Amino acid sequence: MLKLCGFHLSNYHNKVRIALLEKGVPFEEDPTCTPSQKDEFVARSPMGKVPFLELDGGRRLAESEVIVEYLEDAYPQKPLLPKDPFERAKVRELVTVTELHLELPARRLYGHVFFKRPASEEVIRAVEKDLPNGVRALTTKLAYGRDILEDLAPLKPYLKMLGERPAFARVNEDRKAAQAALSKK
């Protein structure tokens, strides 16, 4: 049985969960895994990060995109990527651009947006400058009071469709519950 180690607030953990759920691959979760540089954790995850996937025989994989590509190869019955090599590359390109140029800059505002921690005006403006128009509407509405996706109207129906898929809805509800539980502490 595959074991996914991570926590429901992690975008990268949730990326792997969605892939597992969409593909119908049985797995269990270890939600007690939180990033750590302690020796026993680094022995399981070389960078001390989540997510990581534990496979049979004590084997492990780290890094969300590596895990998703492994799942695509190991469980080809329900592919998440197109068959055509160019189209597959375009999907991978989209994932890389999204993670490097949307999620990574937006991450600088997560404490401010999701946990009400103060952010300097300098950081807020720097992130606004760095974020291309494809950033998720939720983050921009909360951080800037406007929806940057307004210029990308065709993306909204796609995001709506994703939100209605059972795997996405389940992961999103779990993320919201984890966030609510954290904010009560």
Side-chain angles (χ1 to χ4, degrees):
M1 172 71 72
L2 299 177
K3 182 188 287 186
L4 178 60
C5 301
F7 54 97
H8 291 167
L9 286 176
S10 165
N11 291 339
Y12 296 103
H13 173 82
N14 288 335
K15 170 184 169 178
V16 175
R17 279 186 74 213
I18 288 169
L20 286 160
L21 292 167
E22 286 285 330
K23 291 179 92 45
V25 175
F27 70 101
E28 57 187 46
E29 289 191 78
D30 181 352
T32 64
C33 291
T34 55
S36 171
Q37 292 302 306
K38 292 181 180 175
D39 290 343
E40 60 274 6
F41 194 79
V42 173
R44 295 173 73 196
S45 173
M47 295 299 294
K49 297 179 356 181
V50 295
F52 61 92
L53 187 68
E54 294 183 333
L55 298 90
D56 294 333
R59 301 177 300 157
R60 294 180 185 91
L61 288 172
E63 298 297 334
S64 64
E65 190 58 21
V66 170
I67 296 168
V68 170
E69 288 187 23
Y70 165 79
L71 295 171
E72 190 72 0
D73 291 340
Y75 302 92
Q77 300 82 355
K78 288 178 94 175
L80 300 177
L81 295 173
K83 288 187 189 281
D84 178 76
F86 179 78
E87 294 301 321
R88 287 173 78 89
K90 291 304 282 183
V91 170
R92 288 183 176 121
E93 176 184 65
L94 177 62
V95 168
T96 300
V97 167
T98 299
E99 289 180 352
L100 292 178
H101 303 293
L102 299 178
E103 197 280 337
L104 200 56
R107 179 172 290 272
R108 295 176 66 197
L109 290 178
Y110 284 6
H112 173 67
V113 171
F114 298 118
F115 307 109
K116 309 295 187 237
R117 291 187 208 132
S120 72
E121 190 64 27
E122 180 182 339
V123 168
I124 290 171
R125 294 300 154 226
V127 171
E128 182 178 32
K129 181 179 177 278
D130 291 343
L131 288 177
N133 286 337
V135 71
R136 296 184 69 107
L138 174 64
T139 303
T140 60
K141 279 185 180 178
L142 292 174
Y144 304 111
R146 64 185 170 85
D147 184 351
I148 290 178
L149 289 178
E150 288 172 359
D151 296 334
L152 297 174
L155 187 56
K156 283 195 171 189
Y158 176 73
L159 292 175
K160 182 179 184 301
M161 179 276 299
L162 286 179
E164 292 169 352
R165 293 188 63 80
F168 280 78
R170 177 176 168 188
V171 168
N172 195 37
E173 289 303 314
D174 290 345
R175 180 197 53 79
K176 286 178 182 177
Q179 186 175 342
L182 187 64
S183 66
K184 289 180 183 177
K185 288 183 179 182

